[in-house]
Amino acid sequence: MCGIFGIVSRKDINIGKIALEGIKRLEYRGYDSCGIVTQYDSKLFVKKDAGKIDVIHKKLKLDEFPNESKLALAHTRWATHGAPTKINSHPHLDCNDKIAVIHNGILENFIELREELLSKGHIFKSETDTEIIPHLIEDNLKTNGDLKIAVANAIKKCIGAYGLAICHADYPDTIIAVRRESPLIIGIEDGKTTYCASDIPAFLPYTNKCYILEDDEMAILKAGTVEFYDVNNISVPKQKEIQKIDWSIKAAEKGGYKHFMLKEIYEEPTALRQTMKISNDSLKDFAETLLSAERIYITAAGTSFYAALAGKFIITKFLGKYIQAIECSEFKIELENSLEENSIIIAISQSGETIDLIEAIRWAKESKQRVKVLSITNIVGSTITRHSDKVLITQAGPEIGVAATKTFVTQILAQSLVALEIAKLIRTESNDEIQKYYNALYSTPKVIENFLEKNIDLIKYIVRSLEKNLNFFFLARGISIATAKEGGLKLKEVACRFIEGYSAAHAKHGPISLVREGYPIIFIAPPDNTYERLIGNLMEFKSRGGKIISLVVKEDKKIADLSDITIRIPQPGDKYHTLFSPITFIPALQLLAYYAALEHNLDPDKPLNLAKTVTVH
Ligand code: AGP
């Protein structure tokens, strides 16, 4: 939700160009409008407009600012308060065009603050909540001349979520960054340049050394140095530990692929192999905690929730305890009167910043019950990690495509590794059996590689054959309902088609009435203990004229024989491999969504109305 990039440098660089490249790398966070402000000679230079960055750049030349300028703030917006128009684009300025602010988040008390400021004579140009902030700072500067104090006083009046970067025309070498609930990372090239950004890839081409700003911390960025303060005690600087990020910039670039989404699907084997390296100690720690729990919940949003649905099946198989899956936005409402003592929550999030998830786990931890949170995320130092008792970091690398792909498979893998660790601890299965499950799990990258090598033409053919069908179903039973739901979500997101992942058994209680001659239904059919029943469901649709497309394992015969088109996943159909089928089957559906988006001339990396990190309720 909105991307922030700030840079202050002593190097001889084109500051506009770097700011432009910075927000390009953050465009997955929102692309309704964008803007850049640079500062030179006690003046601010602003260019902003509504639309995607490339279009605005063509129009406004976002890389052309005064050569001498060494400080810039840049913003790419996902609109909340105020339509995506030029006037509502960031940066926002004060009455005298001296203070510029870019913001990611939402101020909840902006109406009251706006009225207060209007009564003092401030003039507002936009409908945004953000515009409050430069005016609040302006107001505070009148009573004390110190920018740092004015910013601290201003934000103390704000209720809500914010990652903010602020500059002032009369402070030639200073950016002030401050956060609450919205991510903000400070990158540093010692003695030369300092950056702030909503996400690491924005400055990754220049440095992998960074500080992760915590809630209510303020950073004062100068060229090549940074000081940190607690917003509530800004007289004494505080020490923070620098972190080294081991992502390579190549991972955050398209590298010859047309889109990030396609590249990230092809990166799934590597992402899985990297995630297999999660340390045994952390897996054991997770497993022991789950074994000690009286009650276990699993919660997440979107794709991460579907990964949770798959993971819940796999963990339960070995743990032998029920795990209740609840969407994070409903977590508090569902459990308000029934959260039990000694409960464990497994929280899953690619970004680690989804606000509904953070709110759910914060609520649970602050309750009287002694609840522990085990989280799985792809982002080191993200907000979720600070609210968790134990954390597993998936190693998918940066995921830039708004539609989650490689993080989905790594989230299921991480849960599977925990499940097998549980199996080792409770010893209800023999070592030999457990090893067979491990072997199957370790073979998942190869299965995906083999699939990607040989099936692209088939997927493109299916996309073309489905061209006229604006809606259809992915049907499945058991664990594969998670795969079906995730496949449906991908098609909705990137191809703008209402394709629903649904229970094959439940479909006859309503959705079957949509079926006419030639109506397509895609069955997700790994040979698990639901297979025979799924054949029955398939026949219910086939006998009504449904066109059956099936996703099966390589040696499948029964369902393949009943299907009009078959996609074969090159894996054995034994129970070991079948358990992990959500990992190996999903690439087919992700590719279906990707090519369907291309067929409709849509940009799969930037689905309409979406943003990668959802930091609003
Ligand atoms: C995935 O393709 C979506 N963009 C979205 O549903 C996403 O999975 C959801 O917002 C959760 O995000 P998180 O994993 O970062 O918490």
Side-chain angles (χ1 to χ4, degrees):
M1 294 276 104
C2 297
I4 284 183
F5 180 81
I7 170 171
V8 50
S9 182
R10 63 175 77 251
K11 294 199 294 190
D12 188 17
I13 47 174
N14 175 347
I15 204 89
K17 183 167 178 281
I18 295 188
L20 172 63
E21 288 166 357
I23 46 167
K24 278 292 291 171
R25 281 189 288 275
L26 292 174
E27 204 175 7
Y28 61 88
R29 300 182 68 89
Y31 28 83
D32 290 331
S33 64
C34 76
I36 297 180
V37 54
T38 69
Q39 174 223 54
Y40 169 63
D41 198 19
S42 291
K43 284 191 211 68
L44 297 180
F45 301 84
V46 176
K47 293 187 182 185
K48 62 180 192 173
D49 210 339
K52 288 192 178 154
I53 298 175
D54 283 343
V55 179
I56 300 171
H57 174 45
K58 255 194 194 147
K59 205 159 91 180
L60 301 180
K61 305 272 179 296
L62 291 173
D63 55 352
E64 289 179 10
F65 283 94
N67 283 340
E68 300 82 352
S69 179
K70 293 287 169 263
L71 180 156
L73 303 180
H75 186 268
T76 177
R77 179 171 185 241
W78 188 84
T80 58
H81 293 51
T85 59
K86 176 175 178 172
I87 220 84
N88 289 332
S89 313
H90 299 215
H92 290 284
L93 308 184
D94 66 320
C95 295
N96 301 312
D97 292 350
K98 284 282 186 185
I99 302 160
V101 173
I102 53 174
H103 172 213
N104 169 30
I106 286 184
L107 301 183
E108 288 164 19
N109 58 339
F110 86 104
I111 296 176
E112 298 89 301
L113 291 174
R114 190 180 167 109
E115 271 161 22
E116 189 184 317
L117 288 159
L118 281 170
S119 72
K120 289 183 176 177
H122 287 264
I123 296 163
F124 286 84
K125 300 183 189 89
S126 77
E127 304 155 90
T128 63
D129 51 343
T130 305
E131 201 185 354
I132 300 298
I133 298 165
H135 290 281
L136 274 177
I137 299 170
E138 179 189 6
D139 214 56
N140 269 283
L141 269 177
K142 283 180 196 156
T143 44
N144 70 79
D146 185 311
L147 184 61
K148 185 173 73 177
I149 299 173
V151 171
N153 288 344
I155 61 146
K156 276 191 226 158
K157 294 193 85 168
C158 297
I159 300 172
Y162 43 81
L164 295 168
I166 300 155
C167 70
H168 191 298
D170 297 333
Y171 291 72
D173 183 31
T174 307
I175 293 175
I176 300 190
V178 60
R179 73 153 264 172
R180 166 168 277 210
E181 289 186 12
S182 295
L184 209 46
I185 327 285
I186 312 299
I188 188 146
E189 277 180 85
D190 285 330
K192 293 178 189 155
T193 309
T194 310
Y195 308 85
C196 62
S198 309
D199 210 347
I200 294 160
F203 55 70
L204 203 52
Y206 317 108
T207 182
N208 66 349
K209 287 201 277 178
C210 67
Y211 298 91
I212 293 159
L213 217 55
E214 309 268 344
D215 277 355
D216 296 329
E217 279 184 347
M218 178 190 277
I220 313 281
L221 285 65
K222 307 254 180 198
T225 63
V226 57
E227 272 184 3
F228 297 97
Y229 295 89
D230 189 323
V231 169
N232 299 309
N233 177 16
I234 52 166
S235 49
V236 194
K238 64 188 272 190
Q239 295 302 312
K240 275 184 79 71
E241 216 172 289
I242 199 156
Q243 308 221 10
K244 262 194 164 177
I245 303 298
D246 58 6
W247 287 357
S248 95
I249 185 58
K250 281 212 174 78
E253 286 168 348
K254 278 191 201 152
Y257 287 86
K258 199 168 171 208
H259 295 101
F260 280 111
M261 183 178 178
L262 188 63
K263 175 179 177 250
E264 287 159 6
I265 294 170
Y266 274 83
E267 282 173 347
E268 285 175 3
T270 309
L272 288 167
R273 288 190 181 105
Q274 291 301 328
T275 303
M276 282 169 193
K277 295 180 190 160
I278 292 179
S279 85
N280 277 349
D281 287 348
S282 5
L283 292 170
K284 196 165 172 224
D285 214 11
F286 246 62
E288 282 170 347
T289 313
L290 289 176
L291 281 167
S292 70
E294 276 167 34
R295 182 123 202 155
I296 305 172
Y297 303 98
I298 194 161
T299 186
T303 291
S304 297
F305 184 68
Y306 299 139
L309 289 184
K312 155 188 133 126
F313 252 88
I314 299 168
I315 296 175
T316 309
K317 174 179 167 53
F318 298 102
L319 184 65
K321 285 184 196 172
Y322 179 67
I323 299 178
Q324 190 179 354
I326 305 178
E327 285 168 21
C328 56
S329 50
E330 306 306 311
F331 197 82
K332 181 178 168 196
I333 296 164
E334 279 213 25
L335 296 177
E336 212 150 21
N337 303 313
S338 61
L339 187 65
E340 285 174 24
E341 289 271 324
N342 288 331
S343 296
I344 305 281
I345 301 172
I346 306 173
I348 305 183
S349 173
Q350 171 276 130
S351 62
E353 302 291 347
T354 296
I355 194 77
D356 285 338
L357 183 61
I358 306 295
E359 196 172 81
I361 60 176
R362 266 214 313 234
W363 167 75
K365 279 190 80 77
E366 283 161 14
S367 67
K368 277 190 240 99
Q369 290 78 3
R370 285 167 298 140
V371 172
K372 276 193 187 146
V373 175
L374 310 184
S375 65
I376 298 177
T377 181
N378 197 40
I379 308 292
V380 180
S382 55
T383 304
I384 197 176
T385 62
R386 289 195 290 277
H387 296 295
S388 304
D389 297 276
K390 296 174 197 305
V391 180
L392 289 184
I393 302 287
T394 52
Q395 301 292 334
E399 187 179 67
I400 310 291
V402 168
T405 51
K406 59 177 176 170
T407 51
F408 176 75
V409 293
T410 57
Q411 287 167 344
I412 302 175
L413 173 72
Q415 294 173 86
S416 306
L417 290 169
V418 172
L420 293 180
E421 204 59 42
I422 291 169
K424 285 199 303 201
L425 287 170
I426 59 174
R427 299 176 170 278
T428 41
E429 313 255 354
S430 69
N431 284 347
D432 191 38
E433 275 286 285
I434 296 171
Q435 193 52 49
K436 285 181 182 159
Y437 282 110
Y438 270 115
N439 294 346
L441 190 58
Y442 292 154
S443 75
T444 53
K446 195 76 209 152
V447 173
I448 296 177
E449 271 163 3
N450 290 343
F451 174 78
L452 293 174
E453 211 175 292
K454 300 205 177 87
N455 288 279
I456 302 303
D457 286 342
L458 174 63
I459 298 287
K460 287 182 181 169
Y461 167 74
I462 294 173
V463 165
R464 283 195 300 275
S465 80
L466 293 174
E467 176 47 23
K468 290 195 179 59
N469 300 92
L470 286 179
N471 54 49
F472 58 85
F473 287 99
F474 290 125
L475 295 185
R477 297 182 75 123
I479 192 172
S480 298
I481 292 177
T483 317
K485 285 191 176 293
E486 174 56 10
L489 177 67
K490 287 288 93 74
L491 268 140
K492 287 189 198 81
E493 275 185 293
V494 304
C496 275
R497 305 276 291 272
F498 193 82
I499 313 302
E500 191 70 328
Y502 212 82
S503 145
H506 212 187
K508 64 178 161 293
H509 297 281
I512 201 166
S513 71
L514 291 166
V515 178
R516 305 282 182 278
E517 193 63 38
Y519 183 92
I521 309 108
I522 302 189
F523 281 86
I524 321 295
D528 58 18
N529 54 2
T530 68
Y531 184 84
E532 298 298 331
R533 283 267 167 96
L534 191 76
I535 294 178
N537 300 138
L538 185 152
M539 291 310 295
E540 292 154 10
F541 282 82
K542 192 175 171 64
S543 58
R544 287 167 174 81
K547 172 174 164 177
I548 309 296
I549 302 171
S550 61
L551 206 61
V552 296
V553 296
K554 64 177 178 191
E555 70 263 31
D556 187 283
K557 184 133 178 56
K558 283 194 197 167
I559 286 194
D561 283 351
L562 294 169
S563 306
D564 297 284
I565 305 176
T566 305
I567 308 171
R568 289 187 184 274
I569 307 301
Q571 68 166 73
D574 59 56
K575 67 174 182 181
Y576 311 104
H577 290 80
T578 298
L579 182 63
F580 306 116
S581 65
I583 299 177
T584 48
F585 278 43
I586 198 65
L589 306 190
Q590 294 167 338
L591 284 168
L592 212 60
Y594 173 76
Y595 287 109
L598 298 195
E599 194 75 17
H600 291 266
N601 287 323
L602 295 165
D603 179 351
D605 284 344
K606 300 188 194 81
L608 201 65
N609 303 328
L610 286 184
K612 181 111 187 122
T613 312
V614 183
T615 51
V616 293
H617 295 288

